[in-house]
Amino acid sequence: MPEGNADTLKIRIPEGFLVPRLYLYSFLNIIEASKKEVGQYVVLRSGDVFEAIIEGIEIVKEVIENRRKDGLLRRLRLDTLPMSGNDKKIFMKLCSELSCELDPAKILEAYIDVLRSRGINRLKEGLERFDIGARGYSLPSIFKLELYGLTRGPLFRDGFSMDSMMRVSSDFFILMLAGYLLSRVGRARIDEGTWVSVHVFPSELAWSRSSWRELQNLLSGLWHGIRPADALTLHLLINLWDLLKGEPHNLIIFGVIDPAGSKPAAVSISVDAPLKDVYMRARELLDYLLEREWSRNALSQLVRKALDPNQAGKEIAERLVKLLFLSLQGDIRALEELSLLSSRLEIATSTIKQPKDLEREISNMARDARRLAKELLTYRRI
């Protein structure tokens, strides 16, 4: 069969399925090609879109290999592919057909070899439909998060159910796997004894490849926490500030309990992080605080304390950060309340003759919040 048009590739969007779509977005944002959603398809255009897909998979393989060289990321097991017993059967079948070890980097490497031998026409056939019936691969639990508790999250429709018998082509399977591996950037403790993998997704196909790769590097590692949402949004803005100046886009964050044994993967937390919207409202004031070391450090510390589930005085930190979040977006009443509350807390704790650890922590938080409020009030009067 002659090769088809090498500069265009249509990928069927998993209609109604949020998680598979996000995995595809995660992967496609590192593809060096123009991307446009047309109806139920993502249309990729490039000088050689076939090679662009292969290059993207090679980048994900490189990401996994680099994580194995990093002591912290390796200890956090961000170079691995977590799976339940049922998931393992699916991956064993895939590895048998690809003739490779059950290892994420080896799977991607083997698929690249198979893809080159098949050519672009087979790739186009594999991506033109999402559910291909009995001849396809079952979905492991990391691809079926809609089935496991997502109706409890704010991003998902009540009563939504995904067809557990769905089958996809090896091409769709690998692209979603690549997006999953790329999105799994960190680990976080959300309460005593409960850890989740942190997945960062683009909400749209808008990031440039260089920015999306840089974002992975900036956010990889141990996270202090994922909630509350306003503290998480500020944390992301602080850490991605220079990147967002050129490309402000929104993100979606999942905290996923990894599959193991008989237990499937499940989403514990989902947060819509409206970075672009907040950036546009808070740009001037936040830039003012971040350009100086003391105020950047003070803001970062307050946000970290609001996110950390083991932080003494966490509720106070959350309240102060919420007021800061609103103040930075121009809410003058929130700024006045922040100034008043932090001053009262600082005075109240400073009069204690033998303060305990909690009281010292609250005093420090109140001091930093008061100084930040003063800076914002001074700037607004300039």
Side-chain angles (χ1 to χ4, degrees), residues 231-276:
L232 178 62
T233 300
L234 270 181
H235 169 76
L236 292 169
L237 283 167
I238 293 167
N239 286 277
L240 301 175
W241 189 247
D242 290 337
L243 196 64
L244 292 172
K245 285 181 178 179
E247 273 190 79
H249 300 298
N250 298 334
L251 294 174
I252 296 173
I253 313 297
F254 284 177
V256 178
I257 299 174
D258 288 336
S262 62
K263 295 182 179 180
V267 168
S268 176
I269 302 171
S270 60
V271 178
D272 192 353
L275 301 190
K276 180 178 180 179

Side-chain angles (χ1 to χ4, degrees), residues 138-158:
S138 301
L139 299 181
S141 62
I142 56 174
F143 296 166
K144 296 192 296 185
L145 294 174
E146 273 90 346
L147 288 177
Y148 307 112
L150 284 190
T151 53
R152 295 192 296 270
L155 300 174
F156 308 95
R157 296 173 293 171
D158 290 338

Side-chain angles (χ1 to χ4, degrees), residues 213-228:
R213 290 191 68 182
E214 179 64 16
L215 179 144
Q216 313 296 320
N217 294 331
L218 291 170
L219 298 182
S220 291
L222 181 64
W223 285 41
H224 299 296
I226 303 179
R227 54 190 174 196

Side-chain angles (χ1 to χ4, degrees), residues 46 49 57 74 89 94 112 140 162 171 176 198 225 244 260 300 355:
S46 176
V49 73
I57 297 170
R74 190 173 64 251
K89 296 175 184 177
L94 176 69
I112 290 171
M162 187 179 187
D171 304 293
M176 288 193 295
V198 180
L244 292 172
S300 297

